[in-house]
Amino acid sequence: MPASAAAVLRALATGPGSRVTRFAKSTAASVTPVRPGRTHALSPLDNAMERHTVHVVLYYLAAPGLDRDQLKESLSEVLSLYPAMTGRLTRGEGGGGGEGGPTAVEGETPARRGWVVKCNDAGVRMVDARAAPTLDEWLATATGDEEMDLLYYEPVGPETYIWSPFYIQLTEFADKSYALGLSCTHIHNDPTAAALFFQAWAAAHRRTTSTYPPFLHAPAFEVSPASPPPPPPILADKSSAAASPAIADAPAMSSATFHFPASAVRALLASLEPGTTPFAALAALFWLRITAGDEDGERELTVALDFRKRMHAPLPWGYYGSAVHLTRVRADLASGLPAVAAALDRHVTGVPEDDLWSAVEWLHARQQLQLEEGGAGEPFQMYGPELTCVALDHVPMYGAEFEAGAPPARVSCRVGGAAGEGLVIVLPAAEGGEARDVVVMLPAEKTASVCRDGVVLRHGGQVVFGAKAGKVA
């Protein structure tokens, strides 16, 4: 075997005992060339997500029109609608790291400029893989950490002009079912945009138009505040700790997924104040159980909200980029589940749009300061290190039908770089209605504890992907 081929196989290898074998790596290109010189600007909110990645897996039962070659063909077609996906990151004017960009003088620290995308048709990386079990066997036996074998991602290196921000893994199960795994840098896409990319891909596969076409040129987050605004408290706290090696020194993280059938969620809601949302109920439940045994009293939870439809001039679902707003909820955990869920609901419902703009304006001013002073403002951790809960249960994730009438059997989502106390993500479930899935990424011992937690299980939580020690990408 040639040395280069052996190196590729080593890079693709999964851990010992894995039931997934990655056997090839290639590049998927768009069928339509991009106009030379085209770039895609990334907002200050996009740039703020530099420490994080997004990982989405969609599972599909075997179907006549679902095979590897057809999926690759339709992927190339849909990439024509996403020129930024097939491009490469480079620093803005005056920065280093991009092809042809200025280089730093030896001994000097290069200025940190905002990222932009050079739309050069370089393509996205594709990985082919096979899984030994059938899909049903996998869903019945896989751990949360084993599910990461259905995803492939390479961290950014010094040569960003050859590094692909997007990686797609096609995994075929023994029964010809498929898992489609997308990994990307959060600089490009938030979890909503990443999940809804599959809708456009599925529409291209069916030779039809997507319900949520990509919207790549929104002016929504282009702001120029007259004077630097004060930092929102949550971002001030995060940026002040930017230099801390939180991710490198954090304990090993592990992942698990819980499924709550509609009947279980309805029973949970019946025990709470009228009008409580499924998100608030489940976020409160996991907040209480993850912190069980800690000191009671007033505590704070960071909540990540998708703001696309919460703005006075709402963005399309297909908005390409980050529309995530972080906010803090305060509650007395000793007051019990109904009171904590009610506090969550009141806060999430009442977050004003002005709070979002304050954060965006401050991030913009911070980025401008980097341009003027150079080297200021290292990227900081947006998800964590405090416990963070992400609301995604409103996102139409199950509309990606590669075969008409055959939605995904399951959708999973994770955010990388959420080291510290961990992350809880509330997702829609396949059966719709009040049913929900909850993905947790916590320190390994805490994940194992939550999977055995009697209160979570008593409220109908079914462990789909259990806990096993391991590092989340």
PDB file of all heavy atoms in Angstrom, residues 49-55 148 184 186 191 247 381-383 413-419 423 425 441 472-473:
ATOM      1  N   MET A  49     -17.979  32.130  17.361  1.00  0.00           N
ATOM      2  CA  MET A  49     -18.137  30.694  17.580  1.00  0.00           C
ATOM      3  C   MET A  49     -16.874  29.899  17.226  1.00  0.00           C
ATOM      4  O   MET A  49     -16.936  28.682  17.025  1.00  0.00           O
ATOM      5  CB  MET A  49     -19.321  30.175  16.758  1.00  0.00           C
ATOM      6  CG  MET A  49     -20.652  30.798  17.127  1.00  0.00           C
ATOM      7  SD  MET A  49     -21.120  30.398  18.836  1.00  0.00           S
ATOM      8  CE  MET A  49     -22.714  31.222  18.951  1.00  0.00           C
ATOM      9  N   GLU A  50     -15.725  30.555  17.161  1.00  0.00           N
ATOM     10  CA  GLU A  50     -14.511  29.915  16.660  1.00  0.00           C
ATOM     11  C   GLU A  50     -14.108  28.682  17.450  1.00  0.00           C
ATOM     12  O   GLU A  50     -13.494  27.761  16.912  1.00  0.00           O
ATOM     13  CB  GLU A  50     -13.367  30.931  16.653  1.00  0.00           C
ATOM     14  CG  GLU A  50     -12.083  30.412  16.022  1.00  0.00           C
ATOM     15  CD  GLU A  50     -11.054  31.506  15.796  1.00  0.00           C
ATOM     16  OE1 GLU A  50     -11.415  32.704  15.810  1.00  0.00           O
ATOM     17  OE2 GLU A  50      -9.880  31.155  15.618  1.00  0.00           O
ATOM     18  N   ARG A  51     -14.426  28.614  18.730  1.00  0.00           N
ATOM     19  CA  ARG A  51     -14.018  27.470  19.544  1.00  0.00           C
ATOM     20  C   ARG A  51     -14.920  26.254  19.369  1.00  0.00           C
ATOM     21  O   ARG A  51     -14.657  25.210  19.954  1.00  0.00           O
ATOM     22  CB  ARG A  51     -14.015  27.854  21.025  1.00  0.00           C
ATOM     23  CG  ARG A  51     -12.802  28.641  21.487  1.00  0.00           C
ATOM     24  CD  ARG A  51     -12.731  28.637  23.002  1.00  0.00           C
ATOM     25  NE  ARG A  51     -11.535  29.276  23.502  1.00  0.00           N
ATOM     26  CZ  ARG A  51     -11.131  29.219  24.775  1.00  0.00           C
ATOM     27  NH1 ARG A  51     -11.852  28.525  25.652  1.00  0.00           N
ATOM     28  NH2 ARG A  51     -10.029  29.825  25.165  1.00  0.00           N
ATOM     29  N   HIS A  52     -15.974  26.374  18.578  1.00  0.00           N
ATOM     30  CA  HIS A  52     -16.997  25.326  18.584  1.00  0.00           C
ATOM     31  C   HIS A  52     -17.212  24.691  17.209  1.00  0.00           C
ATOM     32  O   HIS A  52     -16.915  25.289  16.168  1.00  0.00           O
ATOM     33  CB  HIS A  52     -18.313  25.901  19.103  1.00  0.00           C
ATOM     34  CG  HIS A  52     -18.206  26.447  20.491  1.00  0.00           C
ATOM     35  ND1 HIS A  52     -18.055  25.649  21.597  1.00  0.00           N
ATOM     36  CD2 HIS A  52     -18.177  27.731  20.942  1.00  0.00           C
ATOM     37  CE1 HIS A  52     -17.948  26.401  22.676  1.00  0.00           C
ATOM     38  NE2 HIS A  52     -18.022  27.666  22.306  1.00  0.00           N
ATOM     39  N   THR A  53     -17.737  23.483  17.246  1.00  0.00           N
ATOM     40  CA  THR A  53     -18.097  22.734  16.044  1.00  0.00           C
ATOM     41  C   THR A  53     -19.537  22.249  16.185  1.00  0.00           C
ATOM     42  O   THR A  53     -20.097  22.213  17.285  1.00  0.00           O
ATOM     43  CB  THR A  53     -17.169  21.526  15.844  1.00  0.00           C
ATOM     44  OG1 THR A  53     -17.129  20.751  17.064  1.00  0.00           O
ATOM     45  CG2 THR A  53     -15.758  21.974  15.494  1.00  0.00           C
ATOM     46  N   VAL A  54     -20.134  21.874  15.059  1.00  0.00           N
ATOM     47  CA  VAL A  54     -21.510  21.373  15.035  1.00  0.00           C
ATOM     48  C   VAL A  54     -21.499  19.994  14.387  1.00  0.00           C
ATOM     49  O   VAL A  54     -20.830  19.788  13.364  1.00  0.00           O
ATOM     50  CB  VAL A  54     -22.436  22.319  14.241  1.00  0.00           C
ATOM     51  CG1 VAL A  54     -23.856  21.753  14.173  1.00  0.00           C
ATOM     52  CG2 VAL A  54     -22.448  23.709  14.872  1.00  0.00           C
ATOM     53  N   HIS A  55     -22.232  19.055  14.971  1.00  0.00           N
ATOM     54  CA  HIS A  55     -22.268  17.673  14.477  1.00  0.00           C
ATOM     55  C   HIS A  55     -23.714  17.188  14.443  1.00  0.00           C
ATOM     56  O   HIS A  55     -24.399  17.195  15.472  1.00  0.00           O
ATOM     57  CB  HIS A  55     -21.436  16.756  15.381  1.00  0.00           C
ATOM     58  CG  HIS A  55     -20.050  17.271  15.643  1.00  0.00           C
ATOM     59  ND1 HIS A  55     -18.994  17.009  14.796  1.00  0.00           N
ATOM     60  CD2 HIS A  55     -19.565  18.051  16.640  1.00  0.00           C
ATOM     61  CE1 HIS A  55     -17.911  17.600  15.269  1.00  0.00           C
ATOM     62  NE2 HIS A  55     -18.226  18.248  16.390  1.00  0.00           N
ATOM     63  N   MET A 148     -20.431   8.908  17.790  1.00  0.00           N
ATOM     64  CA  MET A 148     -19.468   9.830  17.197  1.00  0.00           C
ATOM     65  C   MET A 148     -18.668   9.177  16.077  1.00  0.00           C
ATOM     66  O   MET A 148     -18.065   9.880  15.257  1.00  0.00           O
ATOM     67  CB  MET A 148     -18.522  10.364  18.272  1.00  0.00           C
ATOM     68  CG  MET A 148     -19.191  11.257  19.310  1.00  0.00           C
ATOM     69  SD  MET A 148     -19.994  12.732  18.617  1.00  0.00           S
ATOM     70  CE  MET A 148     -18.579  13.631  17.993  1.00  0.00           C
ATOM     71  N   CYS A 184     -19.093  20.366  11.024  1.00  0.00           N
ATOM     72  CA  CYS A 184     -18.584  21.623  10.479  1.00  0.00           C
ATOM     73  C   CYS A 184     -18.165  22.544  11.604  1.00  0.00           C
ATOM     74  O   CYS A 184     -18.555  22.365  12.763  1.00  0.00           O
ATOM     75  CB  CYS A 184     -19.624  22.312   9.591  1.00  0.00           C
ATOM     76  SG  CYS A 184     -21.100  22.894  10.462  1.00  0.00           S
ATOM     77  N   HIS A 186     -18.456  25.855  13.711  1.00  0.00           N
ATOM     78  CA  HIS A 186     -19.589  26.707  14.075  1.00  0.00           C
ATOM     79  C   HIS A 186     -19.429  28.104  13.486  1.00  0.00           C
ATOM     80  O   HIS A 186     -20.381  28.892  13.444  1.00  0.00           O
ATOM     81  CB  HIS A 186     -19.704  26.776  15.598  1.00  0.00           C
ATOM     82  CG  HIS A 186     -21.074  27.057  16.111  1.00  0.00           C
ATOM     83  ND1 HIS A 186     -21.903  28.023  15.574  1.00  0.00           N
ATOM     84  CD2 HIS A 186     -21.779  26.507  17.139  1.00  0.00           C
ATOM     85  CE1 HIS A 186     -23.044  28.047  16.245  1.00  0.00           C
ATOM     86  NE2 HIS A 186     -22.999  27.145  17.188  1.00  0.00           N
ATOM     87  N   PRO A 191     -26.387  25.036  14.783  1.00  0.00           N
ATOM     88  CA  PRO A 191     -27.064  23.730  14.660  1.00  0.00           C
ATOM     89  C   PRO A 191     -28.301  23.767  13.776  1.00  0.00           C
ATOM     90  O   PRO A 191     -28.575  22.803  13.047  1.00  0.00           O
ATOM     91  CB  PRO A 191     -27.412  23.397  16.114  1.00  0.00           C
ATOM     92  CG  PRO A 191     -26.355  24.065  16.921  1.00  0.00           C
ATOM     93  CD  PRO A 191     -26.106  25.362  16.197  1.00  0.00           C
ATOM     94  N   ILE A 247     -10.899  24.052  27.690  1.00  0.00           N
ATOM     95  CA  ILE A 247     -11.177  22.814  26.971  1.00  0.00           C
ATOM     96  C   ILE A 247     -10.069  21.797  27.207  1.00  0.00           C
ATOM     97  O   ILE A 247     -10.311  20.622  27.470  1.00  0.00           O
ATOM     98  CB  ILE A 247     -11.359  23.106  25.474  1.00  0.00           C
ATOM     99  CG1 ILE A 247     -12.590  23.990  25.263  1.00  0.00           C
ATOM    100  CG2 ILE A 247     -11.485  21.828  24.679  1.00  0.00           C
ATOM    101  CD1 ILE A 247     -12.821  24.392  23.831  1.00  0.00           C
ATOM    102  N   GLN A 381     -15.080  30.855  24.928  1.00  0.00           N
ATOM    103  CA  GLN A 381     -16.008  29.741  24.888  1.00  0.00           C
ATOM    104  C   GLN A 381     -17.431  30.252  25.022  1.00  0.00           C
ATOM    105  O   GLN A 381     -17.822  30.798  26.045  1.00  0.00           O
ATOM    106  CB  GLN A 381     -15.682  28.756  26.018  1.00  0.00           C
ATOM    107  CG  GLN A 381     -16.383  27.423  25.889  1.00  0.00           C
ATOM    108  CD  GLN A 381     -15.950  26.450  26.978  1.00  0.00           C
ATOM    109  OE1 GLN A 381     -15.081  26.764  27.775  1.00  0.00           O
ATOM    110  NE2 GLN A 381     -16.561  25.290  27.004  1.00  0.00           N
ATOM    111  N   MET A 382     -18.230  30.079  23.978  1.00  0.00           N
ATOM    112  CA  MET A 382     -19.617  30.524  24.004  1.00  0.00           C
ATOM    113  C   MET A 382     -20.519  29.482  24.683  1.00  0.00           C
ATOM    114  O   MET A 382     -21.409  29.835  25.461  1.00  0.00           O
ATOM    115  CB  MET A 382     -20.104  30.810  22.592  1.00  0.00           C
ATOM    116  CG  MET A 382     -19.389  31.966  21.910  1.00  0.00           C
ATOM    117  SD  MET A 382     -19.872  33.586  22.554  1.00  0.00           S
ATOM    118  CE  MET A 382     -21.386  33.896  21.628  1.00  0.00           C
ATOM    119  N   TYR A 383     -20.332  28.214  24.372  1.00  0.00           N
ATOM    120  CA  TYR A 383     -21.092  27.140  25.022  1.00  0.00           C
ATOM    121  C   TYR A 383     -20.254  26.640  26.199  1.00  0.00           C
ATOM    122  O   TYR A 383     -19.298  25.895  26.015  1.00  0.00           O
ATOM    123  CB  TYR A 383     -21.357  25.990  24.056  1.00  0.00           C
ATOM    124  CG  TYR A 383     -22.210  26.326  22.860  1.00  0.00           C
ATOM    125  CD1 TYR A 383     -21.651  26.884  21.717  1.00  0.00           C
ATOM    126  CD2 TYR A 383     -23.582  26.090  22.868  1.00  0.00           C
ATOM    127  CE1 TYR A 383     -22.428  27.179  20.604  1.00  0.00           C
ATOM    128  CE2 TYR A 383     -24.374  26.380  21.755  1.00  0.00           C
ATOM    129  CZ  TYR A 383     -23.777  26.925  20.628  1.00  0.00           C
ATOM    130  OH  TYR A 383     -24.552  27.212  19.526  1.00  0.00           O
ATOM    131  N   CYS A 413     -27.925  15.631  17.373  1.00  0.00           N
ATOM    132  CA  CYS A 413     -27.148  16.860  17.211  1.00  0.00           C
ATOM    133  C   CYS A 413     -26.248  17.059  18.421  1.00  0.00           C
ATOM    134  O   CYS A 413     -26.663  16.804  19.563  1.00  0.00           O
ATOM    135  CB  CYS A 413     -28.087  18.058  17.042  1.00  0.00           C
ATOM    136  SG  CYS A 413     -27.236  19.644  16.867  1.00  0.00           S
ATOM    137  N   ARG A 414     -25.024  17.509  18.167  1.00  0.00           N
ATOM    138  CA  ARG A 414     -24.081  17.837  19.232  1.00  0.00           C
ATOM    139  C   ARG A 414     -23.348  19.120  18.870  1.00  0.00           C
ATOM    140  O   ARG A 414     -23.249  19.474  17.699  1.00  0.00           O
ATOM    141  CB  ARG A 414     -23.064  16.715  19.441  1.00  0.00           C
ATOM    142  CG  ARG A 414     -23.647  15.425  20.003  1.00  0.00           C
ATOM    143  CD  ARG A 414     -22.604  14.322  19.987  1.00  0.00           C
ATOM    144  NE  ARG A 414     -23.066  13.109  20.644  1.00  0.00           N
ATOM    145  CZ  ARG A 414     -23.869  12.199  20.092  1.00  0.00           C
ATOM    146  NH1 ARG A 414     -24.287  12.388  18.834  1.00  0.00           N
ATOM    147  NH2 ARG A 414     -24.240  11.120  20.741  1.00  0.00           N
ATOM    148  N   VAL A 415     -22.807  19.776  19.890  1.00  0.00           N
ATOM    149  CA  VAL A 415     -21.951  20.940  19.700  1.00  0.00           C
ATOM    150  C   VAL A 415     -20.626  20.638  20.368  1.00  0.00           C
ATOM    151  O   VAL A 415     -20.586  20.300  21.560  1.00  0.00           O
ATOM    152  CB  VAL A 415     -22.573  22.219  20.294  1.00  0.00           C
ATOM    153  CG1 VAL A 415     -21.596  23.387  20.182  1.00  0.00           C
ATOM    154  CG2 VAL A 415     -23.882  22.548  19.596  1.00  0.00           C
ATOM    155  N   GLY A 416     -19.544  20.713  19.603  1.00  0.00           N
ATOM    156  CA  GLY A 416     -18.228  20.452  20.152  1.00  0.00           C
ATOM    157  C   GLY A 416     -17.669  21.670  20.855  1.00  0.00           C
ATOM    158  O   GLY A 416     -18.077  22.807  20.607  1.00  0.00           O
ATOM    159  N   GLY A 417     -16.720  21.437  21.725  1.00  0.00           N
ATOM    160  CA  GLY A 417     -16.066  22.520  22.440  1.00  0.00           C
ATOM    161  C   GLY A 417     -16.824  22.986  23.662  1.00  0.00           C
ATOM    162  O   GLY A 417     -16.479  24.017  24.237  1.00  0.00           O
ATOM    163  N   ALA A 418     -17.848  22.249  24.078  1.00  0.00           N
ATOM    164  CA  ALA A 418     -18.653  22.647  25.238  1.00  0.00           C
ATOM    165  C   ALA A 418     -18.097  22.013  26.508  1.00  0.00           C
ATOM    166  O   ALA A 418     -18.822  21.396  27.282  1.00  0.00           O
ATOM    167  CB  ALA A 418     -20.113  22.265  25.029  1.00  0.00           C
ATOM    168  N   ALA A 419     -16.799  22.127  26.711  1.00  0.00           N
ATOM    169  CA  ALA A 419     -16.172  21.533  27.880  1.00  0.00           C
ATOM    170  C   ALA A 419     -16.540  22.318  29.123  1.00  0.00           C
ATOM    171  O   ALA A 419     -16.897  23.493  29.065  1.00  0.00           O
ATOM    172  CB  ALA A 419     -14.654  21.507  27.699  1.00  0.00           C
ATOM    173  N   LEU A 423     -23.392  20.312  28.418  1.00  0.00           N
ATOM    174  CA  LEU A 423     -24.385  20.822  27.482  1.00  0.00           C
ATOM    175  C   LEU A 423     -25.581  19.890  27.459  1.00  0.00           C
ATOM    176  O   LEU A 423     -25.437  18.666  27.506  1.00  0.00           O
ATOM    177  CB  LEU A 423     -23.761  20.915  26.092  1.00  0.00           C
ATOM    178  CG  LEU A 423     -24.474  21.716  24.998  1.00  0.00           C
ATOM    179  CD1 LEU A 423     -24.486  23.197  25.352  1.00  0.00           C
ATOM    180  CD2 LEU A 423     -23.769  21.511  23.662  1.00  0.00           C
ATOM    181  N   ILE A 425     -29.100  19.431  25.029  1.00  0.00           N
ATOM    182  CA  ILE A 425     -29.765  19.863  23.807  1.00  0.00           C
ATOM    183  C   ILE A 425     -31.131  19.194  23.730  1.00  0.00           C
ATOM    184  O   ILE A 425     -31.232  17.964  23.779  1.00  0.00           O
ATOM    185  CB  ILE A 425     -28.944  19.508  22.549  1.00  0.00           C
ATOM    186  CG1 ILE A 425     -27.541  20.122  22.638  1.00  0.00           C
ATOM    187  CG2 ILE A 425     -29.646  19.990  21.290  1.00  0.00           C
ATOM    188  CD1 ILE A 425     -26.647  19.774  21.465  1.00  0.00           C
ATOM    189  N   MET A 441     -24.189  16.179  26.928  1.00  0.00           N
ATOM    190  CA  MET A 441     -22.731  16.051  26.832  1.00  0.00           C
ATOM    191  C   MET A 441     -22.166  16.611  28.122  1.00  0.00           C
ATOM    192  O   MET A 441     -22.167  17.829  28.343  1.00  0.00           O
ATOM    193  CB  MET A 441     -22.202  16.815  25.621  1.00  0.00           C
ATOM    194  CG  MET A 441     -22.526  16.139  24.300  1.00  0.00           C
ATOM    195  SD  MET A 441     -22.313  17.257  22.891  1.00  0.00           S
ATOM    196  CE  MET A 441     -23.774  18.276  23.087  1.00  0.00           C
ATOM    197  N   VAL A 472     -15.776  13.933  23.720  1.00  0.00           N
ATOM    198  CA  VAL A 472     -16.638  14.429  22.659  1.00  0.00           C
ATOM    199  C   VAL A 472     -15.844  15.401  21.808  1.00  0.00           C
ATOM    200  O   VAL A 472     -15.173  16.274  22.319  1.00  0.00           O
ATOM    201  CB  VAL A 472     -17.885  15.111  23.247  1.00  0.00           C
ATOM    202  CG1 VAL A 472     -18.742  15.699  22.152  1.00  0.00           C
ATOM    203  CG2 VAL A 472     -18.699  14.106  24.062  1.00  0.00           C
ATOM    204  N   ALA A 473     -15.943  15.259  20.482  1.00  0.00           N
ATOM    205  CA  ALA A 473     -15.155  16.117  19.597  1.00  0.00           C
ATOM    206  C   ALA A 473     -15.536  17.556  19.761  1.00  0.00           C
ATOM    207  O   ALA A 473     -16.668  17.896  20.053  1.00  0.00           O
ATOM    208  CB  ALA A 473     -15.352  15.676  18.147  1.00  0.00           C
TER     209      ALA A 473
END
